[in-house]
């Protein structure tokens, strides 16, 4: 890991993923989580304040970056229910949890950066109970060709500067390809956000 990835990317991503428009998106999704919850890519704990903590039995906060885990632990220490957060320093492609062991999988603004997103979603499906749900909010490929064209042009430069973030991934199609049925999904361009990075989709899905 280079100096940029170790010292610059964690605070940069934390800042970018906690802008007001993105925080509003998190608030639409995270409070719906129930039971035993797996959050894929908890980052610095940005979602923690949005959980309906009385509905959470255990929150498995999965995050591969040690720098992010350190920030997330600090955020958890300031919560009244932080003792129910179990930190797992691992990648989403190999989740150390049993099959059909979680009620909710929360995925917010992380699918864009996971190198093996197919493996990550396969793992999410594996650990999810048959009646469980995936709650997601992600940015990705815009439906307007003019915007999408610029996303494709900029992505090769964008990725190394933004921690591997892809601009052209299609969340709905990715979930379907991984064996999920999307129950509901809304989309919009986030306000006060460049369109190349601001097309957002959010909703819920279940194992098909």
């Amino acid at each position: 890991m280079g100096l940029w990835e170790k010292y610059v990317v964690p605070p940069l991503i934390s800042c970018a993923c906690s802008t007001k428009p993105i925080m509003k998106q998190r608030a639409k999704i995270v409070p719906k989580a129930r039971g035993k919850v797996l959050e894929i890519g908890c980052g610095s704990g940005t979602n923690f304040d949005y959980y309906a903590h009385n509905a959470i039995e255990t929150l498995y906060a999965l995050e591969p970056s040690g720098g992010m885990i350190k920030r997330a632990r600090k955020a958890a220490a300031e919560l009244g229910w932080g003792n129910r957060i179990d930190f797992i320093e691992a990648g989403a492609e190999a989740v150390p949890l049993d099959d059909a062991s979680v009620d909710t999988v929360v995925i917010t603004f992380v699918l864009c950066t996971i190198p093996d997103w197919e493996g990550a979603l396969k793992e999410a499906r594996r650990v999810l109970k048959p009646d469980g749900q995936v709650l997601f909010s992600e940015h990705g490929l815009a439906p307007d060709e003019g915007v999408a064209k610029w996303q494709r042009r900029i992505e090769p430069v964008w990725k190394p500067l933004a921690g591997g973030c892809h601009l052209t991934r299609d969340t709905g199609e990715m979930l379907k390809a991984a064996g999920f049925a999307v129950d509901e999904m809304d989309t919009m361009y986030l306000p006060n956000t460049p369109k190349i990075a601001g097309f957002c989709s959010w909703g819920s899905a279940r194992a098909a």
Side-chain angles (χ1 to χ4, degrees):
M1 178 181 292
L3 295 177
W4 177 267
E5 290 85 0
K6 185 174 182 179
Y7 295 108
V8 179
V9 169
L12 179 66
I13 297 300
S14 294
C15 181
C17 290
S18 59
T19 62
K20 188 175 180 179
I22 288 181
M23 296 303 279
K24 286 186 175 181
Q25 292 303 114
R26 296 180 187 278
K28 296 175 182 178
I29 292 300
V30 179
K32 299 179 181 180
R34 296 290 184 272
K36 291 185 177 180
V37 180
L38 169 64
E39 182 178 337
I40 294 179
C42 74
S44 58
T46 309
N47 282 335
F48 291 171
D49 279 339
Y50 291 107
Y51 283 101
H53 61 86
N54 291 332
I56 304 300
E57 181 179 342
T58 303
L59 171 59
Y60 298 107
L62 185 82
E63 172 57 48
S65 167
M68 288 294 197
I69 286 279
K70 183 177 180 181
R71 290 168 176 265
R73 287 187 183 278
K74 182 178 180 180
E78 299 172 358
L79 299 173
W81 58 283
N83 61 321
R84 278 178 273 151
I85 300 177
D86 184 357
F87 288 96
I88 303 174
E89 189 171 340
E93 303 89 345
V95 180
L97 295 175
D98 293 335
D99 295 357
S101 60
V102 302
D103 301 287
T104 311
V105 176
V106 173
I107 307 174
T108 59
F109 302 98
V110 295
L111 281 180
C112 61
T113 61
I114 298 174
D116 180 13
W117 64 263
E118 296 100 327
L121 290 180
K122 181 179 179 180
E123 280 290 87
R125 194 173 188 278
R126 179 185 67 80
V127 303
L128 193 65
K129 293 179 181 179
D131 60 346
Q133 66 174 340
V134 173
L135 300 172
F136 65 91
S137 184
E138 294 285 338
H139 79 103
L141 183 65
D144 302 298
E145 182 54 32
V147 179
K149 179 175 66 176
W150 279 104
Q151 288 178 315
R152 290 189 287 268
R153 286 178 176 174
I154 293 171
E155 188 172 80
V157 177
W158 178 278
K159 281 196 300 182
L161 295 177
C165 174
H166 293 71
L167 297 172
T168 59
R169 289 182 173 176
D170 187 325
T171 304
E173 292 303 314
M174 291 160 69
L175 287 166
K176 292 174 185 177
F180 289 100
V182 178
D183 292 324
E184 58 177 319
M185 185 171 73
D186 294 305
T187 63
M188 68 179 291
Y189 285 105
L190 298 180
N192 304 314
T193 305
K195 282 191 173 183
I196 61 164
F199 182 73
C200 186
S201 59
W202 68 98
S204 63
R206 55 183 169 78

